[in-house]
Amino acid sequence: MSVRVLALVGSLRAGSHNRQLAEAAVKHAPEGVEVVIFEGLADVPFYNEDLDVEGSVPAAATALREAAAQADAFLFFSPEYNGTITAVLKNAIDWLSRPYGAGALSSKPTAVVGTAYGQFGGVWAQDEARKALGIAGANVLADAKLSIPGSVVRFAELHPQDDAEVVEQLPVVVAQLAEATAVSA
């Protein structure tokens, strides 16, 4: 049995270190785990209940929900903007939290990791993402964490997939998601 983990990246920037970190998760996923990066968060409109009406949900939001429905678990990659979660990541959480109590996140194992320029690697934003995800109904794994500081310098010439700490610790987080999936099945 293969476990499918949907990766959502909270940075839309070309060359994003969090995007590269997600690519590292794809490359270094443990055997039996498939990490799939969702493409298209930039196209998802801001959540608005007026748009979230059966038969008229925007195509990009429908694609996000369909990808989430096919996932066994979620791995969010959160940079830190102004000390908190990015709008694109929060928007994805909002779309996936609906319908209330039965959204695509409901009870699925979820972890938040990331990298940021600051000395703490974006932990404030990651904590905010965990909070929002928990309220949205996800099964947030409290011990599945990875915060990598100094991204601008650290990954200036080195892709995260070639960083020793990433190669060692990111697969552990992915394995924790897979294990939680087996327990919740």
Side-chain angles (χ1 to χ4, degrees):
M1 179 179 112
S2 179
V3 173
R4 184 180 182 93
V5 176
L6 185 64
L8 294 135
V9 180
S11 174
L12 303 177
R13 183 178 65 81
S16 159
H17 296 122
N18 279 281
R19 169 62 188 222
Q20 292 175 3
L21 197 59
E23 292 167 356
V26 171
K27 181 177 181 178
H28 297 294
E31 187 173 331
V33 181
E34 175 189 23
V35 177
V36 177
I37 301 171
F38 181 77
E39 305 291 350
L41 283 183
D43 301 323
V44 178
F46 282 114
Y47 184 79
N48 177 337
E49 287 185 44
D50 293 339
L51 298 176
D52 194 4
V53 177
E54 190 172 335
S56 62
V57 174
T62 298
L64 173 61
R65 285 178 171 166
E66 288 173 353
Q70 295 172 9
D72 299 306
F74 298 97
L75 184 54
F76 285 74
F77 292 83
S78 181
E80 188 170 271
Y81 291 5
N82 298 314
T84 193
I85 187 173
T86 64
V88 69
L89 212 51
K90 177 63 169 71
N91 189 48
I93 294 168
D94 291 343
W95 277 103
L96 294 174
S97 71
R98 303 293 196 273
Y100 181 75
L105 292 168
S106 188
S107 300
K108 288 188 181 177
T110 304
V112 181
V113 299
T115 185
Y117 178 67
Q119 66 180 340
F120 301 112
V123 294
W124 289 347
Q126 293 167 36
D127 286 344
E128 290 291 322
R130 287 184 195 95
K131 175 184 168 188
L133 286 160
I135 292 168
N139 173 17
V140 180
L141 305 183
D143 294 331
K145 298 179 179 181
L146 178 60
S147 301
I148 302 170
S151 62
V152 173
V153 174
R154 184 171 184 163
F155 301 128
E157 296 182 21
L158 177 71
H159 193 288
Q161 70 187 11
D162 300 319
D163 180 273
E165 180 183 5
V166 170
V167 170
E168 177 185 335
Q169 294 184 18
L170 190 55
V172 171
V173 172
V174 176
Q176 287 174 296
L177 284 169
E179 289 167 15
T181 300
V183 170
S184 66

